[in-house]
Amino acid sequence: MILVTGATGTVGRELVTLLAQGGERVVAVARHPEAAALPDGVVPVAADLADPAALAPHLDGVRAIFLNPAAVEGGAEQLLALAAAHGVQHAVLLSAMTVAFPAGEPRFADRFRVLEDLVRASGLSWTLLRAGDFAGNVRLWAPQIRNGGVVRAAYPGAATAPLVERDLSAVAARVLVDPGHEGKAYVLTGPRALDQREKLAAIAETIGRSLELVELTPAQAKAGMVANGVPSEIADRLLGSLADYAAQPGPTTDDVAQLLGRPALPFADWAAANARLFAD
């Protein structure tokens, strides 16, 4: 049996589905799992993992656990201790590429580094998935694209190899189920680097509209993001990384291809699958 934290998020929901389709018994943990249409046979557990003691009854029989930092931060050490006490053997942590390839404000990578250290010290075998820039980060552009097609953003030349979240879920499923990934850290990116104008062009081609990117200062960009509901800390994290990726493109690895036995999905595939987000 496998326990997945953050089970109703973009990565966790797909991960739960892949595991269930592969015949795995899954415990899906989220604050409100009833809000998601989870696959038949999946055990939904409502829990706030800042205090994970309520999970103890659900850890019996679990052999591997997936740790989403957004779900477990603040309770990770206690959860790992509970997991070890209940005989869980393996932990897979969703971490960040910036631990290995620094970019942006160090405080954000430091938070992931703390979680990695906790996993290593837990007594469980472990695998670290250091994810790069998510393709889905461009969802922040959706309101601007729907309302006229002019995207205002900082650092248009910042280049990353965007990781399609479906690939991250597929990799997580692979390393949770298959042996041989113990003690390894993988850096997960898409197949090639694209700057922000190239990402916007891929969206434009998908939806059949002309789109324009207008450069803002970082301060202007942050103000716009916050005004549209993005937490200030998230804006700082994104803009700090973009500043560094404007000076030098983020890394591109083949870890996804090596783990899945096929090329990583290109950003254009993500844009096509999510075209409705940008429709008028």
Side-chain angles (χ1 to χ4, degrees):
M1 189 155 54
I2 296 173
L3 186 145
V4 176
T5 66
T8 58
T10 302
V11 174
R13 180 65 179 77
E14 178 74 8
L15 172 58
V16 168
T17 299
L18 290 172
L19 290 170
Q21 289 174 345
E24 299 291 333
R25 296 172 60 206
V26 182
V27 177
V29 181
R31 285 188 175 87
H32 303 288
E34 70 282 356
L38 297 171
D40 292 341
V42 170
V43 178
V45 174
D48 181 350
L49 295 180
D51 180 15
L55 271 191
H58 303 284
L59 287 166
D60 291 331
V62 170
R63 60 181 173 80
I65 183 170
F66 176 76
L67 302 173
N68 185 315
V72 305
E73 190 171 27
E77 187 171 12
Q78 185 181 357
L79 176 55
L80 287 163
L82 281 170
H86 282 76
V88 176
Q89 301 168 16
H90 191 63
V92 174
L93 173 67
L94 172 56
S95 186
M97 180 176 71
T98 50
V99 173
F101 297 93
E105 297 184 30
R107 62 190 172 107
F108 297 115
D110 287 345
R111 286 164 57 177
F112 287 102
R113 193 171 287 110
V114 167
L115 290 172
E116 289 191 4
D117 289 344
L118 289 173
V119 169
R120 288 192 184 94
S122 67
L124 281 63
S125 64
W126 50 266
T127 307
L128 307 177
L129 303 181
R130 292 171 171 165
D133 176 36
F134 286 171
N137 285 342
V138 299
R139 292 172 186 269
L140 296 175
W141 293 346
Q144 297 184 74
I145 291 173
R146 290 195 301 267
N147 296 322
V150 176
V151 172
R152 295 170 175 83
Y155 306 113
T160 65
L163 172 66
V164 175
E165 291 89 333
R166 282 172 50 202
D167 275 350
L168 174 54
S169 299
V171 166
R174 181 65 53 88
V175 302
L176 281 162
V177 172
D178 293 348
H181 303 288
E182 298 84 357
K184 295 185 179 179
Y186 298 109
V187 176
L188 308 177
T189 74
R192 73 182 187 93
L194 303 171
D195 67 25
Q196 300 214 78
R197 286 194 173 94
E198 290 171 317
K199 293 175 187 176
L200 189 61
I203 295 170
E205 183 172 355
T206 292
I207 65 176
R209 287 177 53 201
S210 177
L211 302 176
E212 179 185 3
L213 193 149
V214 173
E215 184 173 3
L216 299 180
T217 67
Q220 289 171 328
K222 179 178 178 178
M225 293 165 74
V226 171
N228 282 290
V230 178
S232 178
E233 183 173 273
I234 299 298
D236 286 341
R237 180 178 173 186
L238 293 173
L239 289 167
S241 295
L242 288 174
D244 286 339
Y245 295 142
Q248 175 152 351
T252 301
T253 77
D254 65 354
D255 283 6
V256 169
Q258 292 295 323
L259 288 161
L260 298 182
R262 61 159 175 80
L265 296 171
F267 178 79
D269 280 22
W270 182 93
N274 292 275
R276 70 188 188 285
L277 295 174
F278 308 104
D280 293 333

